[in-house]
Amino acid sequence: MNIILGKNNGFCAGVRHTISKAEELLAKYHTLDCLGEIIHNKEVVSSLEKKGLRIINSIEEAKNRVIIRAHGTTKEVYEYAEAHGIELIDLTCPNVLKIHEQVQNLVKEKYFICLLGVKNHPETIGTYSFCGENSCIVEDFSDLSPAVQKIHNSKLKRVLIIAQTTFSVTLFEQYSQIIADTLWNHFKVKIENSICNSTNLRQFEAAEIA
């Protein structure tokens, strides 16, 4: 067996920051809650739990300061924490926070938000909560026609197409082009490739190795 190790393997900068900051905070406070697994890595999660990290599944379970993990969280979590005096330590990846800010700003400008991503992924769930009622999620080809219909039904004439930071680059290019071509010149379509650079590099490298 020949094992090929990609040069872009390992944690991205955002995840490395989240883990190092969590370790630093645990050394200071000794116990912290984290809303969901801090990253998708059982060994890292187990190591942090031994240092005092407690994984909770909802903000209502909070007993300590609460870490918001790298994937980010929903608008409702921020609102609940503020209303109940819960201290949040926001370790959301800066790239994800940038998307949250962008969609909120464009919702105010009467844009329909079309989010390309995996529907049950925590990042997508978090981002979608900031997109307002005139929005949709496109995960696969079957979502395209309902998405276009919802855009038409919204009566809005401006559309933002944006992506989960770790979505497939190929699918983003394909789906965003199909949506734009379908809407054609009846809408102002803004396509924002928000897939992070680490994801781009790794998907390209995987294809090259294959």
Side-chain angles (χ1 to χ4, degrees), residues 95-167:
N95 291 325
V96 176
L97 289 175
K98 182 179 177 182
I99 295 173
H100 290 182
E101 181 180 2
Q102 183 171 12
V103 297
Q104 287 182 95
N105 288 338
L106 291 186
V107 164
K108 293 175 183 176
E109 296 179 22
K110 305 299 183 184
Y111 271 80
F112 185 100
I113 310 298
C114 185
L115 176 61
L116 275 55
V118 178
K119 295 175 184 176
N120 65 355
H121 192 284
E123 181 194 326
T124 301
I125 294 169
T127 298
Y128 194 57
S129 71
F130 293 94
C131 292
E133 62 179 345
N134 291 311
S135 59
C136 66
I137 301 175
V138 171
E139 179 176 350
D140 54 43
F141 190 83
S142 65
D143 296 319
L144 291 172
S145 182
V148 170
Q149 186 60 55
K150 190 172 182 181
I151 292 170
H152 281 284
N153 292 343
S154 74
K155 307 299 183 183
L156 300 179
K157 291 300 180 183
R158 294 190 284 185
V159 179
L160 170 69
I161 301 175
I162 199 164
Q164 172 189 330
T165 59
T166 53
F167 195 57

Side-chain angles (χ1 to χ4, degrees), residues 27-121:
K28 179 179 180 180
Y29 296 119
H30 308 296
T31 180
L32 290 168
D33 290 343
C34 183
L35 188 55
E37 291 189 340
I38 192 164
I39 63 167
H40 292 152
N41 185 296
K42 297 293 184 184
E43 288 76 15
V44 171
V45 172
S46 177
S47 173
L48 291 174
E49 284 179 323
K50 291 174 183 177
K51 296 176 182 179
L53 190 70
R54 189 175 78 102
I55 306 300
I56 60 175
N57 295 312
S58 69
I59 191 64
E60 290 84 358
E61 299 175 39
K63 295 180 180 178
N64 307 288
R65 296 173 177 87
V66 179
I67 287 177
I68 301 301
R69 58 186 174 173
H71 301 303
T73 191
T74 64
K75 181 179 180 181
E76 291 74 23
V77 166
Y78 290 105
E79 291 172 345
Y80 183 94
E82 183 176 2
H84 292 81
I86 299 171
E87 181 182 345
L88 298 181
I89 301 171
D90 200 343
L91 300 185
T92 304
C93 171
N95 291 325
V96 176
L97 289 175
K98 182 179 177 182
I99 295 173
H100 290 182
E101 181 180 2
Q102 183 171 12
V103 297
Q104 287 182 95
N105 288 338
L106 291 186
V107 164
K108 293 175 183 176
E109 296 179 22
K110 305 299 183 184
Y111 271 80
F112 185 100
I113 310 298
C114 185
L115 176 61
L116 275 55
V118 178
K119 295 175 184 176
N120 65 355
H121 192 284

Side-chain angles (χ1 to χ4, degrees), residues 192-204:
E192 182 72 29
N193 186 345
S194 51
I195 298 172
C196 75
N197 189 50
S198 292
T199 298
N200 272 298
L201 289 173
R202 292 171 188 195
Q203 290 183 16
F204 176 79

Side-chain angles (χ1 to χ4, degrees), residues 8-37:
N8 291 299
N9 74 89
F11 298 138
C12 66
V15 169
R16 287 198 301 271
H17 170 75
T18 297
I19 295 170
S20 63
K21 190 64 178 178
E23 290 176 335
E24 177 186 320
L25 291 165
L26 285 167
K28 179 179 180 180
Y29 296 119
H30 308 296
T31 180
L32 290 168
D33 290 343
C34 183
L35 188 55
E37 291 189 340

